[in-house]
Protein backbone atom coordinates (compact mmCIF):
# COMPACT_ATOMS: atom_id res chain seq x y z
CA UNK A 1 0.00 0.00 0.00
CA UNK A 2 2.81 2.43 0.79
CA UNK A 3 4.27 2.02 -2.70
CA UNK A 4 0.88 2.94 -4.16
CA UNK A 5 0.71 6.07 -2.01
CA UNK A 6 4.24 7.05 -3.06
CA UNK A 7 3.35 6.58 -6.74
CA UNK A 8 0.18 8.65 -6.23
CA UNK A 9 2.23 11.38 -4.54
CA UNK A 10 4.81 11.39 -7.34
CA UNK A 11 2.05 11.64 -9.95
CA UNK A 12 0.42 14.57 -8.14
CA UNK A 13 3.78 16.28 -7.58
CA UNK A 14 5.17 15.80 -11.08
CA UNK A 15 1.96 17.07 -12.70
CA UNK A 16 1.96 20.15 -10.44
CA UNK A 17 -1.38 19.29 -8.85
CA UNK A 18 -0.19 20.01 -5.32
CA UNK A 19 -1.24 23.65 -4.82
CA UNK A 20 1.83 24.99 -3.01
CA UNK A 21 1.73 28.22 -5.00
CA UNK A 22 -1.76 29.00 -3.72
CA UNK A 23 -0.35 29.58 -0.24
CA UNK A 24 -0.22 33.30 0.54
CA UNK A 25 3.50 33.52 1.36
CA UNK A 26 4.79 31.01 -1.19
CA UNK A 27 5.94 33.53 -3.81
CA UNK A 28 7.70 35.79 -1.29
CA UNK A 29 9.43 32.82 0.36
CA UNK A 30 10.55 31.51 -3.04
CA UNK A 31 12.08 34.84 -4.00
CA UNK A 32 13.89 35.12 -0.67
CA UNK A 33 15.17 31.55 -1.01
CA UNK A 34 16.43 32.27 -4.53
CA UNK A 35 18.35 35.25 -3.15
CA UNK A 36 19.91 33.06 -0.48
CA UNK A 37 20.81 30.42 -3.06
CA UNK A 38 22.60 33.05 -5.14
CA UNK A 39 24.61 34.17 -2.11
CA UNK A 40 25.51 30.59 -1.16
CA UNK A 41 26.64 29.81 -4.69
CA UNK A 42 28.81 32.95 -4.83
CA UNK A 43 30.38 32.27 -1.43
CA UNK A 44 30.82 28.51 -1.60
CA UNK A 45 31.05 27.77 -5.32
CA UNK A 46 28.85 26.01 -7.83
CA UNK A 47 29.82 22.42 -6.89
CA UNK A 48 29.01 22.94 -3.23
CA UNK A 49 25.75 24.66 -4.06
CA UNK A 50 24.63 21.88 -6.42
CA UNK A 51 25.40 19.22 -3.80
CA UNK A 52 23.62 21.27 -1.12
CA UNK A 53 20.60 21.91 -3.34
CA UNK A 54 20.28 18.23 -4.32
CA UNK A 55 20.34 17.22 -0.63
CA UNK A 56 17.84 19.93 0.26
CA UNK A 57 15.51 18.88 -2.55
CA UNK A 58 15.74 15.23 -1.51
CA UNK A 59 14.93 16.10 2.10
CA UNK A 60 12.02 18.29 0.99
CA UNK A 61 10.64 15.48 -1.18
CA UNK A 62 10.82 13.05 1.74
CA UNK A 63 9.02 15.52 4.01
CA UNK A 64 6.30 16.18 1.42
CA UNK A 65 5.86 12.45 0.81
CA UNK A 66 5.52 11.89 4.56
CA UNK A 67 2.89 14.63 4.82
CA UNK A 68 1.03 13.30 1.78
CA UNK A 69 1.09 9.76 3.15
CA UNK A 70 -0.10 10.95 6.58
CA UNK A 71 -2.92 12.98 5.01
CA UNK A 72 -3.96 10.02 2.89
CA UNK A 73 -4.07 7.71 5.92
CA UNK A 74 -5.93 10.31 7.95
CA UNK A 75 -8.54 10.75 5.21
CA UNK A 76 -9.07 7.00 4.95
CA UNK A 77 -9.38 6.74 8.74
CA UNK A 78 -11.93 9.55 8.85
CA UNK A 79 -13.96 8.06 5.99
CA UNK A 80 -14.04 4.58 7.49
CA UNK A 81 -14.88 5.96 10.95
Amino acid sequence: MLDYIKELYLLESETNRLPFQEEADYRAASLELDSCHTQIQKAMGKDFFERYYDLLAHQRDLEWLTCFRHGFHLAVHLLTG
Side-chain angles (χ1 to χ4, degrees):
M1 178 70 139
L2 294 181
D3 288 339
Y4 173 74
I5 294 172
K6 184 175 182 179
E7 291 301 317
L8 182 60
Y9 163 74
L10 291 173
L11 177 64
E12 294 297 304
S13 179
E14 290 168 359
T15 56
N16 295 318
R17 289 189 281 205
L18 297 175
F20 298 118
Q21 296 176 351
E22 293 177 11
E23 294 297 321
D25 295 335
Y26 184 85
R27 177 89 173 128
S30 292
L31 291 173
E32 185 69 25
L33 190 59
D34 286 344
S35 175
C36 290
H37 285 167
T38 300
Q39 291 175 356
I40 292 169
Q41 187 169 352
K42 284 181 182 178
M44 303 297 290
K46 185 178 179 181
D47 290 339
F48 175 85
F49 175 75
E50 287 177 356
R51 193 179 86 207
Y52 164 79
Y53 188 79
D54 288 346
L55 290 169
L56 185 63
H58 180 66
Q59 181 183 27
R60 184 194 63 216
D61 287 342
L62 292 173
E63 290 169 352
W64 289 353
L65 172 59
T66 300
C67 290
F68 187 85
R69 185 178 287 138
H70 180 76
F72 189 89
H73 284 279
L74 181 60
V76 169
H77 179 70
L78 290 171
L79 288 173
T80 59

